[in-house]
Amino acid sequence: MLLPGFGEEGQRKLLASNALVLGCGALGTVVANMLARAGVGRLVIVDRDFIEITNLQRQVLFDEQDVADAIPKAEAAKRRLARINSQVKVTAIVDDINHSNIEKFATGADVLVDGLDNFETRYLANDCAVKLGLPYVYGGAVGTVGAAFTILPHTTGGDAPWETSDGAGATPCLRCLFDEAPPPGLSPTCDTVGVIGPAVSIVANFQVAETLKILTGNLDRVCPTMLNIDLWTNTIYQLKVGRAYDDGDCLCCKHRKFEFLEGKAGSSAVTLCGRDAVQLTHRQGGGKLDFDDIAARLRHHGAVTANEFMIRAGITHNDKPYELTLFPDGRAIVKGTSEGSVARSVYAKYVGT
Ligand SMILES: [Zn+2]
């Protein structure tokens, strides 16, 4: 409240606002932690994953007990945040973020904050932000480098608080900056090069600062350039970025074609960053899985653990060991491979299509 440009009014605005945190891994835990401490009144945290021991190096809301208890990340974050600031309302959603649900998650949100680990879902978030006219605070980190950029998208009527009727004030969107996602295998991932905690923390805290500016209405303070930082070579750049919108060739923010949101781009098998694992989702969602039935079947193949959130089974397939984790909605994570085809094969054999 003592900060100029913030004040009691700014604090009240935070209390009345709602931030959607997409992903609750390295970036997302830092973001959620700081937003809750700052007094953002409502946080919606979406994450599909469980906590592993190697996550603790950088995922600041979790501890060894969470790993032992097999608590989903979003739920563990919610429990921790309740002890940090009991007045913040936290909604934990344990689910994959995909084209069929992201708009539902964004309902009522004032800002989308990126805690994601893959570009496909980032393009989906970008589509959603542009379509709904919501700010999207992009962030990413791998190895010793990180990047962040705040997207204040064009809206159809030019009626967003950051935009004038001629489109001035809106920033490039993610597809203005990178038209296509980098092909798999061509960009470094946490799998191949690791990541140091400080790279994540710096990027995430930059995102938090941007989010606080947005939520308190300090839009003139939003950073117009893209942060690029490498903690190993000691370089920090602020890159000027141009709007493809102005040349008329951004599919998303100029032509308002939302390929990822419409399910026309992207796949249903996603290799998980740093996990040697593949997640499978089914575009045509069916009913809930019968956990008892499936657990009984899987026990024939190896050790099975189950709770209300998941079933986990050790499985040998083609003489190779895999760990299969199933969720009530039919989503699966197959650990032991980074190939979608192998994961689909394991799923088809032990769960069925
Ligand atoms: Zn664009």
Side-chain angles (χ1 to χ4, degrees):
M1 286 195 281
L2 297 175
L3 270 183
F6 214 89
E8 185 176 332
E9 192 195 341
Q11 198 65 57
R12 288 191 190 283
K13 283 180 181 167
L14 287 188
L15 186 62
S17 58
N18 180 346
L20 173 62
V21 181
L22 297 166
C24 196
L27 293 168
T29 51
V30 175
V31 165
N33 183 22
M34 296 306 287
L35 291 182
R37 289 175 193 271
V40 173
R42 188 177 169 98
L43 295 175
V44 178
I45 300 172
V46 193
D47 193 286
R48 63 193 173 194
D49 246 332
F50 286 76
I51 306 155
E52 296 190 84
I53 194 80
T54 55
N55 296 154
L56 302 184
Q57 164 245 16
R58 59 193 181 278
Q59 301 188 11
V60 299
L61 286 177
F62 309 138
D63 58 35
E64 293 179 353
Q65 194 61 48
D66 295 321
V67 179
D69 293 345
I71 307 294
K73 288 182 179 180
E75 182 64 28
K78 178 183 174 174
R79 294 179 190 184
R80 178 90 181 97
L81 293 170
R83 296 198 295 274
I84 290 169
N85 186 343
S86 61
Q87 296 181 38
V88 172
K89 290 192 184 70
V90 179
T91 303
I93 299 172
V94 183
D95 204 347
D96 179 49
I97 298 165
N98 59 53
H99 72 100
S100 72
N101 59 24
I102 190 168
E103 285 185 79
K104 183 178 69 187
F105 299 150
T107 303
D110 298 302
V111 62
L112 276 54
V113 193
D114 185 342
L116 298 164
D117 65 357
N118 68 85
F119 260 88
E120 194 174 311
T121 317
R122 288 192 173 103
Y123 281 104
L124 180 68
N126 184 68
D127 271 4
C128 179
V130 173
K131 183 178 177 188
L132 301 182
L134 292 171
Y136 166 44
V137 186
Y138 156 72
V142 65
T144 61
V145 306
F149 182 68
T150 302
I151 292 160
L152 302 174
H154 283 283
T155 53
T156 40
D159 52 1
W162 53 84
E163 191 180 15
T164 59
S165 57
D166 61 355
T171 67
C173 80
L174 200 61
R175 290 198 80 175
C176 290
L177 300 177
F178 319 102
D179 187 34
E180 301 287 341
L186 288 185
S187 59
T189 67
C190 302
D191 244 338
T192 52
V193 300
V195 60
I196 59 168
V200 172
S201 292
I202 285 180
V203 167
N205 276 300
F206 181 88
Q207 291 177 276
V208 169
E210 293 290 284
T211 303
L212 295 179
K213 293 171 190 172
I214 290 166
L215 295 179
T216 56
N218 287 291
L219 293 166
D220 57 329
R221 293 285 167 177
V222 168
C223 185
T225 48
M226 176 182 260
L227 173 70
N228 265 258
I229 185 162
D230 187 335
L231 294 177
W232 220 245
T233 58
N234 307 308
T235 49
I236 301 177
Y237 298 111
Q238 284 288 359
L239 303 178
K240 286 185 180 165
V241 288
R243 298 191 300 187
Y245 179 92
D246 298 320
D247 309 325
D249 59 0
C250 180
L251 265 184
C252 180
C253 71
K254 175 70 179 179
H255 298 292
R256 301 188 72 80
K257 289 200 179 358
F258 306 118
E259 292 181 321
F260 289 84
L261 201 52
E262 289 162 10
K264 291 175 184 159
S267 67
S268 63
V270 178
T271 303
L272 302 180
C273 185
R275 297 277 307 272
D276 187 30
V278 174
Q279 172 177 263
L280 300 171
T281 50
H282 304 279
R283 289 252 158 89
Q284 282 72 39
K288 269 196 153 191
L289 290 186
D290 183 340
F291 263 6
D292 291 342
D293 183 49
I294 292 171
R297 269 192 283 148
L298 290 174
R299 282 200 179 90
H300 296 297
H301 302 287
V304 174
T305 52
N307 61 28
E308 61 188 298
F309 303 111
M310 57 114 207
I311 295 176
R312 184 170 288 158
I315 279 169
T316 303
H317 177 66
N318 294 334
D319 293 320
K320 288 190 184 133
Y322 298 95
E323 184 187 87
L324 174 66
T325 306
L326 286 171
F327 303 86
D329 60 359
R331 187 166 59 89
I333 292 173
V334 181
K335 195 168 177 183
T337 181
S338 55
E339 290 178 40
S341 57
V342 174
R344 279 196 201 93
S345 163
V346 170
Y347 188 95
K349 186 161 183 191
Y350 294 99
V351 184
T353 50

